[in-house]
Amino acid sequence: YLTRMMIPEKEETILLKNFNRRIEKDFGKVYSLFYNDLFYFTAKLYQHTEVEPRDAIHDVFLNLWQSPSLKFERLTDIKAYLYVSLRNHFKSYIRHHQCVEKYKAGQLLDKDSFEVDIIESETLSTFHYILGLLPEESAEILKLFFDGWKVEEIAQKLGKNKQTIYNKKSEAIAYLKNKLSKDSLLLLFILVNSERLQREKWGQKDL
C-alpha cells in the first residue's frame, strides 16, 4: 500500500519538485494526499490519550515545513518519513508524560508492529477511496453493512426493498474483491469496526 499513488507520473514530478521548494500550495496538496492514511495510523497510536490525531499530524508537517533542507526523491519517501516522524512524535509524548510503563517500550520499537499499523491504516484509507468510486447508493449501503446494520434495517432506512439492498451490497462487495487482494479484504473486515469506533471517538465523520 505504501507505494500506491493516484497521480500521473508527470504531475507527481512537478508536485515533488515544488514540495521540495516548500511551495505552499503544493505542500498543502501533499498534506491532503496523505492525510487520511496518516489519520488512521495516528488515531491508533494516540487512542488511549487526550491527543487528537490531527494535532499530531499538524506538528509533523509543521516541522517538515520548517526544515527546507530536507529533500525527497519520491512521494513515497515523504510518506515513509511522515510515518516514522509520527511514531517518534508519539514516543516523545509518552516519555514527556512519564507513561512509558503504560506503553511497553518494546512495542514502540517493534518493527513488525510498526509495519502492521501502516498496513492497517492504508487498508482503511484504500477502503474509503474505493467507496468514493462506487455509486452513492451502493457506497451508503456498504458502509451501513460494515457498521453492523442488517439488510432489513438498511431497507427500511433507505426506503428500498430487501432484494435491492442485497443486489447493491453484492455489487459493492464484488467491486471491493476486484480492487483488493483476499488478504486485504479479510483485514478490512477485521479493521472496519475498529475504524468506526476510532472515528466516533475523535468525532470524525465520513472521510
Side-chain angles (χ1 to χ4, degrees), residues 107-161:
Q107 290 181 344
L108 293 177
L109 300 176
D110 187 339
K111 180 181 177 182
D112 290 339
S113 176
F114 179 53
E115 291 176 349
V116 167
D117 286 346
I118 291 176
I119 291 171
E120 290 182 357
S121 302
E122 301 219 347
T123 298
L124 289 169
S125 182
T126 299
F127 171 61
H128 282 276
Y129 172 79
I130 291 173
L131 279 182
L133 300 179
L134 289 170
E136 184 176 350
E137 187 176 60
S138 296
E140 183 177 8
I141 289 170
L142 189 62
K143 288 163 69 176
L144 290 171
F145 170 68
F146 274 123
D147 279 343
W149 288 56
K150 297 178 180 178
V151 171
E152 294 80 3
E153 294 172 332
I154 297 174
Q156 184 175 2
K157 175 181 174 61
L158 301 182
K160 305 285 185 180
N161 62 59

Side-chain angles (χ1 to χ4, degrees), residues 14 17 19 24 33 56 70 85 90 110 117-118 129 132-133 143 146 152 155 167-168 170 193 196-198:
I14 296 172
K17 179 181 178 181
F19 178 90
E24 185 174 349
L33 181 66
L70 278 175
S85 295
F90 174 68
D110 187 339
D117 286 346
I118 291 176
Y129 172 79
L133 300 179
K143 288 163 69 176
F146 274 123
E152 294 80 3
N167 292 342
K168 294 290 184 181
S170 297
N193 280 335
R196 176 173 55 82
L197 292 175
Q198 289 176 1

Side-chain angles (χ1 to χ4, degrees), residues 196-207:
R196 176 173 55 82
L197 292 175
Q198 289 176 1
R199 193 175 67 238
E200 290 174 354
K201 175 179 178 180
W202 299 113
Q204 178 146 331
K205 305 295 184 182
D206 298 335
L207 290 176

